[in-house]
Amino acid sequence: MFKLHLFKTLLACGIPAGSVFFATTAVAQNTSELGVSVGGAVYRGEIAPSYQFRNNRPAVTAFYRKDITNPVTLRGGLTYGMLRADDINQKGNNDAPLPLPAYRQAGLKGGLLEASAVIEYNFFDYHDRKDKIHFTPYVFVGIAGFYANTRVSTANASLAGIIDRSGSMLGFAIPAGVGIKYAISPRWNIGAEVGARKTFTDNIDHLSTKNTRLNASSERDLLVNRHTQDWYFYNGISLSYTFYKIRCPEGQ
């Protein structure tokens, strides 16, 4: 008799507990977001060897985010940003001009279109309205393909025939970065993100050892750095709308 009552008690308690578990899992696995982000794109390469905030140019992203588990999210995005950099912005100690940029006097203008797929890791469940914490920091990493269309030119007339060039290219990159999300309501979220894109090319700015106009070793050593590749960055703020789809546990 005791065993029978114990079994009934465990069964009665187990069914609600199991229902809560599956409901939480279902919500986590069937929550998605559609949103947009606006911010800035930054190029880093021969004309800007380090990240320079002044090189931020307008950029916009449309994205779709799908929660796989409470902490893990998949995100696909499409980003367009403008690129700009000038040798004149490279300064040494006490803002003194650097010899190479002062001689090269090159500038870059153009745009870049990126399609990306990343995995996000969220440290908190910001969609859980029963929790007092409705925000989460996150990190992300993934893969991206991009199309860049740029023009590089120089104010040094003696180098115009060597440097001046425009064109487009396709490439791959590894996006990685950090961000924060905040659920301002059950449906609406805001966020902020900064991320870098590691490319596998040195030719976004057309200043690379593969450029046929720089085939002479003296020109190559003078104008480009053969040991680095180009990068680009994106930072922005976002607004997204959450969709919920709750499924009944299997077998119910």
Side-chain angles (χ1 to χ4, degrees), residues 109-196:
K109 293 182 180 180
L112 182 143
L113 180 66
E114 174 198 84
S116 64
V118 304
I119 298 176
E120 301 175 340
Y121 183 85
N122 305 294
F123 292 91
F124 306 119
D125 183 4
Y126 68 108
H127 281 311
D128 187 356
R129 303 309 295 183
K130 296 179 181 179
D131 199 333
K132 293 182 179 180
I133 299 177
H134 296 152
F135 75 93
T136 181
Y138 67 94
V139 295
F140 70 90
V141 66
I143 189 170
F146 67 89
Y147 169 82
N149 190 339
T150 58
R151 173 178 175 81
V152 63
S153 59
T154 177
N156 186 333
S158 64
L159 295 177
I162 300 174
I163 290 181
D164 286 7
R165 189 176 182 184
S166 62
S168 58
M169 63 161 296
L170 294 171
F172 291 96
I174 297 178
V178 299
I180 187 168
K181 309 171 188 174
Y182 178 66
I184 56 180
S185 75
R187 292 290 183 179
W188 292 99
N189 317 281
I190 58 176
E193 179 178 295
V194 293

Side-chain angles (χ1 to χ4, degrees), residues 215-229:
N215 53 8
S217 60
S218 60
E219 295 172 343
R220 200 166 51 231
D221 294 339
L222 179 64
L223 299 175
V224 305
N225 184 348
R226 69 176 67 190
H227 304 294
T228 63
Q229 293 180 321

Side-chain angles (χ1 to χ4, degrees), residues 9-38:
T9 302
L10 292 175
L11 183 62
C13 295
I15 290 176
S19 298
V20 171
F21 171 77
F22 284 113
T24 302
T25 304
V27 171
Q29 293 185 349
N30 293 278
T31 303
S32 58
E33 296 176 30
L34 186 64
V36 295
S37 173
V38 293

